[in-house]
Amino acid sequence: MNNNSFFITTPIYYVNDHPHIGHAYTSIACDVLARFNRLKNNKTMFLTGTDEHGLKIEQAAKKNKMNTKEFVDQMSIGFKNLTKILNLSNDFFVRTTEEYHKKASRHIWNILKKNNQIYLDKYKGWYSVSDEAYFNDNEITIDKVTKKKIAPSGNEVEWVEEESYFFKLSEWQEKLLDFYKKNPDFIGPKSRKNEVIKFVESGLNDLSISRTTFSWGIEVPDDKKHVMYVWLDALINYLSAIGYPNKKYKDYWPANLHIVGKDILRFHAVYWPAFLLAADIEPPKRIFAHGWWTNEGKKISKSIGNVINPNEIIKEYGLDTLRFFLLKEVPFGNDGDFSKKSLETRINNDLANDLGNLVQRILTIINKNFDGKINKINNLKDNDKELYYLPEKILIEIEENYNKQEFHKVIENIWKLISKANKYVDENAPWELIKNEKNRAEDVLNILIIIIAKISILLFPIMPEVSENILNKIGLTIKNLSMNDIGKDNFLNLSFKIKKPEIIFQKIE
Ligand code: MSP
């Protein structure tokens, strides 16, 4: 792998249903990290896509009275559109029904077989179609209302008995535990890591990796009766999308980060590294599991009818506002509650008051008093330096927080800079200086423009449109900038031509 390459992935989304806020959440988080890495000039690969095989999808197509292939083609477009709606900077969109993906999956299957990791037997046990997962007897309970047997997810299970190929997962228990020990950052956050380790310590059974009672899947090599278990098929997307089995996949592999929801951590942190180690492929560097959103305090579910459509929120409040809210409102890894009231509070306080006001008042003063033109700085005074050199310190903190996927702390870091800038404005009162010390006023305003530029660069991964708009107002564009511009004396010798400000964030009454 290239040393400064950065490969980040979302889970691939099931096409049985339309995109909702949960999908948007994971995708936005990945996008932020991808954009940050690009601004650091890392060779970045951001992957998302759709998971299109398995019984759940076949049943959804039937329910919609559609041919399965036509159904997945149509539903996949909805997720492709989501990448546009969310302004995602993904470099590729993988689909598991594409030929390159099927080829890569069969290739892995053959390696596992050659490595004596697969055998034929009979599966007898519980299966949840909604989770596309197998369950042991001791994981099944009875739903109080429906009286049906359910998995820990609350989804119904059915009894399955069929011929199946098995993967020798049980052989990997010790090796996985050893792998977690040697790679302490493999699973985040820490609380989830402990859960995974406990699960593995409790013992691993061999895993059924093929099905025979339906056909919507990738055919098992040399045995047409079987299709591959959809999770094996799906996980392989992370390799097929970057060219595997062609050696060029090593340009990006091992992936730096798979971001997933807490419900699918086991597949990524247990099965996936076991499959990979068994196929002599290096596991990814890190898996991070985020929490789940509720809607105004209630579990989001189709049957309750309270699914949040990201499109509607964006139409009402704007995309960058949604991106900001999702990452600021709860620490990544925790569950969070989506409420319009808290979204509106964030808009009024963090965005309109803190950031909006800073930009608005500085741009307005410059336009009113200097006709939009600010000459280069004459003299950096001691009491300017604290603010002037703050961005580079903030960047160090930001980077540490991104490395731990602590997005809310990154935002706190940026807001520390914004509030210091607002304080500097109040203390130096440029509107007073203009009266008798115009040169000093110009220096103060220039320093503030530089800080606003740096705030915009730091904020760009999270709020790309807002940041680019602000940069444009001061005659800059992100296309010519990078995180290197946060450094010490960048922009010091620049004069600026400032455009008239417009209100960036409208307060909500
Ligand atoms: N197809 C599998 C993933 C295969 S990856 C090799 C899958 N797809 S999914 O469409 O059901 O879910 C995708 C993601 O959405 C999961 O990470 C899941 O955690 C997330 N969310 C679904 N509902 C959610 C919320 N209410 N809140 C936050 N995220 C949620 O699983």
Side-chain angles (χ1 to χ4, degrees):
M1 190 186 79
N2 197 313
N3 253 348
N4 73 342
S5 77
F6 182 76
F7 178 25
I8 181 161
T9 69
T10 73
I12 47 171
Y13 303 121
Y14 284 130
V15 289
N16 63 312
D17 210 348
H18 300 283
H20 58 65
I21 201 77
H23 305 117
Y25 187 44
T26 325
S27 291
I28 289 170
C30 291
D31 186 56
V32 169
L33 283 166
R35 286 176 184 276
F36 178 70
N37 274 277
R38 277 192 213 102
L39 281 180
K40 280 185 43 85
N41 298 325
N42 288 333
K43 191 172 156 231
T44 302
M45 172 74 179
F46 168 22
L47 174 68
T48 187
T50 41
D51 190 351
E52 306 186 4
H53 286 133
L55 191 50
K56 167 152 123 169
I57 311 290
E58 194 182 86
Q59 288 178 352
K62 265 200 198 112
K63 212 171 138 200
N64 283 278
K65 300 195 174 54
M66 279 180 79
N67 163 288
T68 316
K69 180 70 172 84
E70 282 165 17
F71 176 72
V72 300
D73 284 349
Q74 177 187 313
M75 295 301 283
S76 180
I77 290 173
F79 284 92
K80 234 180 197 166
N81 287 343
L82 185 72
T83 66
K84 304 280 176 291
I85 292 165
L86 300 176
N87 192 12
L88 302 183
S89 61
N90 58 302
D91 300 283
F92 193 65
F93 188 96
V94 60
R95 295 186 57 192
T96 55
T97 48
E98 300 268 11
E99 207 41 52
Y100 63 83
H101 173 77
K102 294 182 188 170
K103 196 175 132 207
S105 302
R106 291 195 193 104
H107 193 89
I108 298 260
W109 183 284
N110 285 331
I111 297 181
L112 291 174
K113 205 166 137 194
K114 189 182 94 219
N115 287 356
N116 192 24
Q117 292 294 317
I118 294 181
Y119 62 92
L120 188 63
D121 202 343
K122 192 166 180 194
Y123 179 76
K124 259 196 204 170
W126 300 104
Y127 193 80
S128 153
V129 180
S130 294
D131 299 326
E132 293 285 18
Y134 302 93
F135 293 97
N136 294 330
D137 254 339
N138 61 11
E139 292 175 287
I140 304 302
T141 50
I142 308 279
D143 186 277
K144 286 193 191 82
V145 182
T146 62
K147 305 284 180 240
K148 286 184 173 151
K149 290 197 163 61
I150 52 167
S153 57
N155 292 321
E156 208 182 304
V157 291
E158 57 189 46
W159 184 256
V160 169
E161 271 190 48
E162 65 189 42
E163 184 186 87
S164 171
Y165 284 99
F166 282 79
F167 168 67
K168 294 182 181 169
L169 183 63
S170 59
E171 282 189 0
W172 291 91
Q173 179 179 0
E174 287 312 314
K175 287 174 207 145
L176 281 173
L177 291 171
D178 192 47
F179 177 79
Y180 302 144
K181 207 179 264 164
K182 288 198 179 115
N183 299 279
D185 293 329
F186 179 62
I187 303 167
K190 282 216 171 63
S191 53
R192 298 265 168 229
K193 171 177 156 176
N194 298 336
E195 274 174 32
V196 169
I197 291 177
K198 264 197 209 124
F199 171 75
V200 175
E201 279 172 347
S202 75
L204 295 176
N205 298 326
D206 288 349
L207 182 71
S208 159
I209 50 164
S210 76
R211 305 278 323 251
T212 48
T213 43
F214 63 93
S215 60
W216 186 244
I218 301 178
E219 250 175 39
V220 164
D222 307 319
D223 195 342
K224 285 192 161 54
K225 263 197 333 229
H226 292 252
V227 293
M228 283 183 208
Y229 173 38
V230 63
W231 267 102
L232 173 59
D233 159 351
L235 287 161
I236 293 170
N237 92 84
Y238 301 131
L239 290 170
S240 69
I242 52 169
Y244 183 89
N246 185 313
K247 289 262 178 305
K248 73 173 185 200
Y249 85 96
K250 290 194 172 158
D251 288 355
Y252 289 108
W253 195 261
N256 296 71
L257 182 62
H258 295 315
I259 291 190
V260 302
K262 62 180 184 180
D263 53 320
I264 56 172
L265 178 60
R266 190 183 290 183
F267 300 94
H268 284 82
V270 181
Y271 302 164
W272 184 222
F275 291 147
L276 288 167
L277 290 168
D280 308 312
I281 300 172
E282 212 180 318
K285 294 215 164 122
R286 184 166 162 88
I287 320 274
F288 189 95
H290 65 67
W292 271 47
W293 287 93
T294 49
N295 184 2
E296 312 278 349
K298 289 204 183 72
K299 188 178 177 218
I300 296 177
S301 99
K302 257 209 298 192
S303 48
I304 302 177
N306 65 346
V307 176
I308 302 171
N309 177 345
N311 237 332
E312 282 163 21
I313 305 293
I314 292 166
K315 275 195 193 123
E316 196 170 345
Y317 297 99
L319 169 62
D320 279 6
T321 308
L322 174 68
R323 292 172 62 110
F324 175 85
F325 173 79
L326 291 176
L327 297 178
K328 176 68 171 65
E329 189 65 7
V330 280
F332 206 57
N334 294 7
D335 292 336
D337 183 43
F338 193 98
S339 88
K340 288 197 171 178
K341 190 153 178 283
S342 27
L343 179 60
E344 289 171 5
T345 309
R346 293 256 168 247
I347 296 176
N348 288 348
N349 298 345
D350 304 359
L351 298 177
N353 277 355
D354 301 345
L355 174 61
N357 262 349
L358 173 67
V359 176
Q360 190 76 16
R361 55 183 178 159
I362 299 312
L363 269 53
T364 306
I365 301 177
I366 297 177
N367 269 286
K368 272 204 182 131
N369 300 283
F370 295 88
D371 198 23
K373 286 191 213 75
I374 281 288
N375 290 316
K376 67 177 206 177
I377 295 172
N378 282 310
N379 181 17
L380 209 53
K381 286 193 174 174
D382 273 352
N383 65 351
D384 298 331
K385 287 186 180 159
E386 192 201 344
L387 177 67
Y388 190 82
Y389 293 124
L390 188 57
E392 53 181 318
K393 293 192 189 117
I394 297 271
L395 178 58
I396 295 170
E397 294 171 18
I398 286 180
E399 184 148 24
E400 282 170 9
N401 288 323
Y402 271 138
N403 286 339
K404 294 182 279 181
Q405 290 75 48
E406 297 196 300
F407 297 96
H408 69 294
K409 288 197 183 158
V410 169
I411 293 175
E412 278 166 25
N413 297 144
I414 301 174
W415 255 253
K416 187 160 95 190
L417 183 57
I418 293 173
S419 90
K420 283 269 161 63
N422 273 321
K423 200 166 144 236
Y424 177 88
V425 178
D426 296 338
E427 284 169 2
N428 287 278
W431 51 90
E432 291 294 331
L433 294 172
I434 286 163
K435 294 178 192 156
N436 328 310
E437 295 175 71
K438 217 163 174 187
N439 282 347
R440 175 64 190 152
E442 205 169 350
D443 277 2
V444 165
L445 291 167
N446 195 325
I447 287 168
L448 282 161
I449 288 296
I450 291 173
I451 295 298
I452 289 172
K454 293 187 177 181
I455 289 169
S456 307
I457 299 170
L458 294 172
L459 191 60
F460 181 80
I462 297 164
M463 304 183 87
E465 274 174 15
V466 164
S467 303
E468 178 71 351
N469 278 343
I470 300 174
L471 287 169
N472 289 167
K473 291 278 175 224
I474 54 185
L476 299 172
T477 168
I478 198 71
K479 290 187 190 80
N480 302 328
L481 298 166
S482 78
M483 285 296 159
N484 291 336
D485 291 300
I486 301 300
K488 265 200 169 47
D489 289 331
N490 293 44
F491 306 139
L492 190 61
N493 292 318
L494 285 190
S495 319
F496 290 96
K497 176 84 187 81
I498 310 295
K499 293 187 193 123
K500 285 215 168 62
E502 284 152 29
I503 290 175
I504 319 175
F505 303 104
Q506 200 74 48
K507 274 201 172 186
I508 296 168
E509 302 304 331

